[in-house]
Amino acid sequence: MRGKITVSVLALAAVCVGTAAIAGPAYTAEDIVRKFAPADPLGKTRGLCVGTHSECNTNVDSRSKAAGAFDLVVNFEYNSDALTPAAKQNLDEFAKALQDARLRSASFVVEGHTDARGGEEFNLGLSTRRADAVVKYLSGRGVPQGQLTARGFGKSRPLTDDPLDPANRRVETRLAIQ
C-alpha cells in the first residue's frame, strides 16, 4: 500500500500528580522495539485446515487490532508546554527505542492537542508548542530530527467526551508508515 498511513503508537499516560514520587516509566524501550520492529520476512506460519468454513475460518486481521492498541500520550498541565518529570521518563524510553537499529528507519508524527479552554488560534499555537517540546526533547536524547514531524491540532481532536478534561492536554506520537 502506498502513501502515508498513520498507526497508533504506545499506550501511556504520563500525568504529573503534584509532588508525588514517580514510580518509573510506563514501558521499556524493548517493549517499543518489539511492538514496532519489522516483522519476520517469512510472515506467519501456514497450515491447512480440513473441515467446514466455520471450523477453519480462524483468520484475524492483526493490523486492525494493532491499529488502536498503543497510544503514546504525554499529558501537560493547564496552559503549559513544559514536559512533566513523568513524561520525560517515558520519553527517555521512547528515545532509546528509536535509536535501536531495528527502528532507526521508522518515522514518527508527534501530534499536539489541547483541551477546549481558550480560543482556536491560541490552542493551535499551544498544541504546536507541545509537539515541538516533545520533538526537541527526543532530539536532545539522540533521535534524529528527520525521524520526527511535529503537528498541532489545537482542541479539534479531544481524547474524551468532556472537551475540558485535562486528559485532552496531550501529545500523541504515531508511527508513520510509508
Side-chain angles (χ1 to χ4, degrees):
M1 176 182 261
R2 293 188 159 217
K4 207 172 213 182
I5 301 171
T6 303
V7 183
S8 294
V9 185
L10 305 174
L12 157 68
V15 180
C16 181
V17 185
T19 59
I22 300 169
Y27 53 86
T28 66
E30 187 56 33
D31 293 335
I32 299 162
V33 171
R34 273 196 307 267
K35 174 68 180 169
F36 296 106
D40 180 356
L42 297 177
K44 292 183 178 181
T45 59
R46 290 153 180 87
L48 175 66
C49 178
V50 178
T52 66
H53 177 71
S54 62
E55 292 172 328
C56 295
N57 190 15
T58 59
N59 291 335
V60 176
D61 184 358
S62 62
R63 287 179 299 163
S64 64
K65 273 186 162 180
F70 282 77
D71 283 320
L72 170 67
V73 181
V74 177
N75 293 95
F76 293 84
E77 296 297 326
Y78 176 69
N79 198 19
S80 175
D81 59 8
L83 294 168
T84 64
K88 288 178 182 180
Q89 279 191 329
N90 290 310
L91 288 173
D92 287 343
E93 291 297 313
F94 193 63
K96 286 179 200 173
L98 294 184
Q99 293 171 10
D100 186 284
R102 296 168 286 178
L103 291 183
R104 276 197 199 123
S105 63
S107 297
F108 291 82
V109 179
V110 179
E111 301 175 346
H113 303 274
T114 66
D115 62 23
R117 290 177 180 88
E120 294 290 331
E121 188 175 328
F122 176 81
N123 281 335
L124 187 57
L126 178 58
S127 66
T128 300
R129 289 191 309 275
R130 287 175 173 171
D132 288 340
V134 169
V135 169
K136 181 179 177 183
Y137 186 84
L138 291 172
S139 295
R141 299 299 181 272
V143 177
Q145 281 195 345
Q147 200 173 357
L148 306 167
T149 303
R151 293 186 62 197
F153 289 98
K155 58 185 174 182
S156 67
R157 296 182 179 181
L159 185 64
T160 67
D161 290 335
D162 177 3
L164 301 177
D165 188 336
N168 293 320
R169 301 189 297 253
R170 70 198 191 280
V171 169
E172 296 178 356
T173 307
R174 303 189 185 283
L175 177 65
I177 302 173
Q178 301 205 8

